[in-house]
Amino acid sequence: MKIKALLLCSILFSVPVIADGYPTWVMDPSPEVNNDTVAAGACAVTTGDLSMDRTLATTDARAEIVKQFEVALQNESAITKNSEAEVSNDAGKVTRKSKTTINVDDTTEVIAQAVLKNSKIIKAEYHTINAQSNFCTLVTVTKASIGQ
């Protein structure tokens, strides 16, 4: 009877986790934030030093946020680079080709600096992942603080 009660308590009060012990908010942070915020979760194997563990996990989460913006920029620049417009005037149709160059590396650097400056840790917890102790963080940044 005690075992059933302990099992029931552990199920009722446990943090939701998915395969191999990763918390759901690390694998899918979107339910944790609103639409004007970008989030990323990351875990780092613990070192025995809370400050170091927090720094490692937070750095990984911030890097993931920068990657999300970088992918969006690359997709946008691929579309923008090949823009073509057809303009009509009284003399007839004129096709004007426009080439826009976006330097993703420079833009990514600016975004990375903004993420470092404006991001916040909204969740931090220890979890056992693949039989190892890990420190996990959930980091957010508002799109407005990045200029989006």
Side-chain angles (χ1 to χ4, degrees), residues 44-107:
V45 175
T46 57
T47 63
D49 178 354
L50 175 62
S51 179
M52 180 63 76
D53 296 345
R54 181 179 164 143
T55 299
L56 292 171
T58 301
T59 300
D60 288 349
R62 286 177 174 152
E64 184 60 35
I65 289 174
V66 172
K67 280 187 216 172
Q68 290 176 35
F69 282 106
E70 188 176 36
V71 167
L73 281 171
Q74 287 173 344
N75 289 340
E76 183 179 306
S77 66
I79 293 168
T80 309
K81 283 181 184 174
N82 298 320
S83 64
E84 193 174 296
E86 219 175 81
V87 180
S88 293
N89 58 21
D90 292 336
K93 287 185 180 179
V94 176
T95 301
R96 185 181 78 200
K97 292 185 179 181
S98 167
K99 183 178 181 182
T100 304
T101 304
I102 298 172
N103 190 336
V104 175
D105 292 334
D106 291 345
T107 306

Side-chain angles (χ1 to χ4, degrees), residues 22 42-58 60 125-137:
Y22 285 96
C43 298
V45 175
T46 57
T47 63
D49 178 354
L50 175 62
S51 179
M52 180 63 76
D53 296 345
R54 181 179 164 143
T55 299
L56 292 171
T58 301
D60 288 349
E125 300 171 351
Y126 281 99
H127 287 272
T128 301
I129 301 169
N130 295 324
Q132 288 185 311
S133 179
N134 281 255
F135 189 77
C136 302
T137 59

